[in-house]
Amino acid sequence: MSTLTFLYSGVYQFGDNLAFLVLSALGLAIIFGMMGVINLAHGELVMCGAYVTIVTAKAGLPLPLAMITGALAAAAAGIVAERLVIRHLYDRPADSVVATWAISLMTQQTMLLVSGPSIEGISTPFGSFEFGGISFSTYRAVLPLVAIGVLALLYALLFHTSYGVGARATIQNARMASCLGLKTQRIYASTFALGAGLAGLAGALYAPTMTAVPTMGSSFIIQAFVTVVVGGANVLIGAVPAAAILSVIQTGLTAFYGQLIGQIGLLVTVILVIRLLPQGVSSLFDRR
């Protein structure tokens, strides 16, 4: 393998890892950062988006519309969970952890009974291309651009819309926001739906690249929690830098020592960040 091919392969892998970490973590970061709820059912919302995408695509819906349908289905599931369970546990974080974990287990077992251990997936679009004699997936090369686009839309939503103003005001001081006339319960519900929809979008985007099984969300939720923890208290600021740092570490270690060492490197990074930066990498931006 030539040096140029090796460098390109590293850049390609970095972009792939970055896209996966960002898309996996955004929904969890929104719900935790704006609501303080640790959602252990995040992986099942990802699975919901993937399953709905596969089913609707096989039914004849164009893949982009099927992915949007999967994200909307996860958002709808999030609204139901927020109204029935989460809404009553905003001031009880430990109880919300147990409740979302229970939702996760029930959803996994229900999908196992309904659809079986797996369902037939869909093919990866756009085919592949070659560089230096090595084949690369075109779709995975596009995913980093999709992640950047999702980030841009999310930034516009939070900083250039009335919902974003109300949501940020509710984060800073929910009681004061309520006194000023904002319907904080509605903002919480819409925020949870937004986080759930982003989780479903992650599952929809990765549905063509992986086997759809009821436990597929576990591969997303581990990466999402690692990214959110490294991002720190201000997850809206820290999620992207954290994903970039973790992508560099994972890509480098995987390239030289294999995938297992790359995963171990992620966990060691979390330990070091908690030890050296208890508030995460976002504390560096907050100071500035």
Side-chain angles (χ1 to χ4, degrees), residues 205-223:
L205 289 171
Y206 279 94
T209 68
M210 57 195 313
T211 303
V213 297
T215 58
M216 65 178 294
S218 60
S219 61
F220 286 83
I221 195 170
I222 294 173
Q223 306 278 16

Side-chain angles (χ1 to χ4, degrees):
M1 182 186 298
S2 66
T3 302
L4 183 60
T5 303
F6 180 78
L7 290 176
Y8 179 79
S9 178
V11 172
Y12 175 88
Q13 191 62 44
F14 168 79
D16 188 25
N17 290 334
L18 179 66
F20 187 83
L21 290 172
V22 169
L23 293 171
S24 299
L26 273 182
L28 189 66
I30 287 291
I31 292 174
F32 176 67
M34 299 180 69
M35 304 173 65
V37 174
I38 301 174
N39 180 25
L40 293 186
H42 177 76
E44 282 55 55
L45 293 170
V46 172
M47 180 263 293
C48 173
Y51 268 64
V52 172
T53 297
I54 292 172
V55 170
T56 53
K58 287 184 175 180
L61 201 64
L63 185 58
L65 293 180
M67 290 178 173
I68 293 174
T69 303
L72 293 177
I79 291 175
V80 173
E82 194 276 338
R83 287 187 176 274
L84 295 180
V85 180
I86 307 300
R87 174 170 296 188
H88 309 287
L89 303 173
Y90 284 140
D91 297 325
R92 298 154 57 188
D95 292 343
S96 68
V97 170
V98 175
T100 54
W101 182 47
I103 293 173
S104 169
L105 295 177
M106 289 188 294
T107 304
Q108 286 185 19
Q109 295 304 312
T110 300
M111 290 304 300
L112 182 61
L113 292 174
V114 171
S115 62
S118 65
I119 62 173
E120 183 182 354
I122 52 179
S123 60
T124 305
F126 306 144
S128 61
F129 64 96
E130 286 194 4
F131 185 89
I134 299 177
S135 180
F136 297 93
S137 170
T138 305
Y139 181 71
R140 284 189 174 272
V142 171
L143 283 178
L145 301 178
V146 175
I148 293 173
V150 172
L151 285 171
L153 291 175
L154 186 60
Y155 177 85
L157 176 66
L158 294 177
F159 290 93
H160 296 285
T161 65
S162 57
Y163 161 76
V165 173
R168 287 184 286 119
T170 303
I171 294 171
Q172 295 177 6
N173 194 323
R175 290 187 178 182
M176 182 61 70
S178 180
C179 292
L180 293 174
L182 292 176
K183 298 185 181 300
T184 54
Q185 287 290 342
R186 185 176 299 175
I187 290 175
Y188 280 140
S190 58
T191 300
F192 198 91
L194 173 63
L198 289 171
L201 179 62
L205 289 171
Y206 279 94
T209 68
M210 57 195 313
T211 303
V213 297
T215 58
M216 65 178 294
S218 60
S219 61
F220 286 83
I221 195 170
I222 294 173
Q223 306 278 16
F225 268 110
V226 166
T227 305
V228 170
V229 169
V230 174
N234 194 336
V235 290
L236 297 181
I237 296 176
V240 177
I245 293 170
L246 293 172
S247 296
V248 170
I249 294 172
Q250 185 175 20
T251 301
L253 291 176
T254 301
F256 289 101
Y257 302 105
Q259 187 174 3
L260 177 60
I261 300 300
Q263 294 293 329
I264 293 174
L266 291 184
L267 300 179
V268 173
T269 302
V270 174
I271 295 172
L272 292 176
V273 169
I274 293 175
R275 178 64 181 87
L276 300 176
L277 292 172
Q279 299 301 316
V281 296
S282 64
S283 62
L284 300 176
F285 297 93
D286 289 338
R287 292 170 188 173
R288 295 183 179 180

